[in-house]
Amino acid sequence: MKPEVEELMPRLLPVEPRGDDEDDEDYRSNEPPRNPQEYLRHVQREASLCPEVVVAQIDPKKLKKNQSVNVSLTGCRAAPQGFSPSLRWQQQQVSNFSEVRQSVAKHRQHWRAQFLDDNVVMPKPDDEDGWKRFCLGENVYLDTSPSEGDTVSPGLDYVKMGFPPFLSIVSKLSQSTVSAVLEYLINWFEERDFVPQLGRWLYALLACLEKPLLPEAHSLIRQLARRCSAVRADLENKDDERLSALNLMICIVARYFEQNDLADKE
């Protein structure tokens, strides 16, 4: 070992210094040490060959764009008069959602082992555009009107209409992928309107989101609840078909995931 290193790191085990007449080849061989002294000398030599400074080779492309997590404490926008659900309704939805989560957890291993149909090609976890197309369908993602054939049999062409969140699909998602897809869809929702395909996938992903939540997941679901409250505040009619789904998303985030400051008060 180098003298300056020896001064900072005194020997813990006595090692006899190597004589000048001893050959370095004795310590370069791949043969196992024959005694404790040879073993300690092998360790000494390996340590002396290590560089003093090591620089890690990091690929910036593999790092996430947003490393910091900012959890906003801003609450939801108040619902227009008569648009918010009753406390009893919220409690019933939490109970139903809890049962769904238990069922998903119970049967996850079974569905994970099932093979998907040939037409179901799941995107890679980091393929944001691919997941938006997969979940929402090309008609919604590209904002194109359905063709005449789509309106006749809309459930057949999942590429255009979006794949439903079947258990055989969501059960194959890891927790990191669940969070990633949730982030993709919520970011899409920030700039667009609420659609049924979005609601189905948000509900399914929340049902797969395991507790305790990571800080990133806390931030995401709060962002979702605030966005739902903003869309709800702009509704003009209590008969709007989006109202029930928006109330449900806010209820799940606030009541089930215990973000109580976002809850609708009766």
Side-chain angles (χ1 to χ4, degrees):
M1 296 181 67
K2 298 180 180 179
E4 61 271 18
V5 177
E6 292 191 17
E7 292 177 2
L8 295 175
M9 301 174 60
R11 292 192 184 97
L12 297 179
L13 294 173
V15 183
E16 295 180 2
R18 182 172 55 86
D20 295 336
D21 57 340
E22 294 185 67
D23 191 355
D24 284 344
E25 293 297 330
D26 294 340
Y27 312 106
R28 295 177 188 171
S29 64
N30 294 326
E31 297 179 3
R34 292 167 294 184
N35 52 59
Q37 288 292 332
E38 284 193 5
Y39 170 77
L40 293 175
R41 288 180 181 176
H42 274 282
V43 173
Q44 272 190 341
R45 179 163 184 79
E46 289 177 1
S48 67
L49 296 177
C50 292
E52 294 183 7
V53 178
V54 179
V55 179
Q57 300 298 323
I58 299 176
D59 184 2
K61 295 180 181 179
K62 294 183 179 180
L63 298 177
K64 294 186 66 175
K65 296 180 181 178
N66 300 321
Q67 292 292 323
S68 59
V69 178
N70 298 318
V71 179
S72 175
L73 299 179
T74 306
C76 289
R77 290 178 59 179
Q81 184 68 29
F83 282 57
S84 61
S86 66
L87 179 59
R88 183 173 182 178
W89 183 90
Q90 295 179 63
Q91 292 172 340
Q92 182 61 50
Q93 300 311 312
V94 170
S95 176
N96 294 343
F97 183 69
S98 179
E99 292 179 2
V100 170
R101 283 175 61 90
Q102 291 175 15
S103 178
V104 170
K106 180 179 180 181
H107 301 291
R108 178 171 294 166
Q109 292 299 330
H110 167 76
W111 286 107
R112 183 177 294 173
Q114 303 301 310
F115 291 101
L116 299 175
D117 293 339
D118 294 338
N119 66 325
V120 182
V121 181
M122 295 173 61
K124 295 181 179 179
D126 58 352
D127 184 2
E128 182 172 353
D129 290 337
W131 276 108
K132 291 175 182 177
R133 288 174 180 266
F134 184 85
C135 300
L136 305 174
E138 290 186 350
N139 289 342
V140 172
Y141 178 67
L142 300 176
D143 195 19
T144 58
S145 301
S147 62
E148 183 178 348
D150 296 335
T151 57
V152 174
S153 55
L156 297 179
D157 194 347
Y158 288 140
V159 174
K160 291 184 178 180
M161 305 303 297
F163 286 88
F166 296 125
L167 275 175
S168 56
I169 293 177
V170 297
S171 295
K172 297 182 186 300
L173 304 180
S174 65
Q175 279 301 292
S176 60
T177 304
V178 169
S179 297
V181 178
L182 197 59
E183 181 178 4
Y184 301 153
L185 296 180
I186 292 174
N187 289 341
W188 181 90
F189 182 35
E190 281 290 339
E191 300 177 356
R192 295 169 182 82
D193 203 355
F194 190 90
V195 294
Q197 295 93 324
L198 176 66
R200 288 193 289 266
W201 269 96
L202 290 176
Y203 189 91
L205 292 171
L206 290 175
C208 295
L209 197 60
E210 296 179 356
K211 286 186 171 182
L213 299 181
L214 296 174
E216 295 88 345
H218 270 290
S219 179
L220 280 173
I221 64 175
R222 291 181 64 86
Q223 180 184 349
L224 171 61
R226 290 194 302 271
R227 175 56 181 163
C228 288
S229 71
V231 174
R232 181 181 63 180
D234 293 334
L235 298 181
E236 299 179 354
N237 193 327
K238 288 189 290 185
D239 295 328
D240 194 306
E241 61 181 7
R242 295 170 293 174
L243 178 59
S244 179
L246 293 170
N247 283 338
L248 179 59
M249 291 295 109
I250 298 172
C251 172
I252 290 174
V253 171
R255 299 293 184 180
Y256 184 84
F257 289 106
E258 301 174 308
Q259 306 299 305
N260 296 318
D261 61 305
L262 304 179
D264 285 315
K265 305 301 187 293
E266 190 172 16

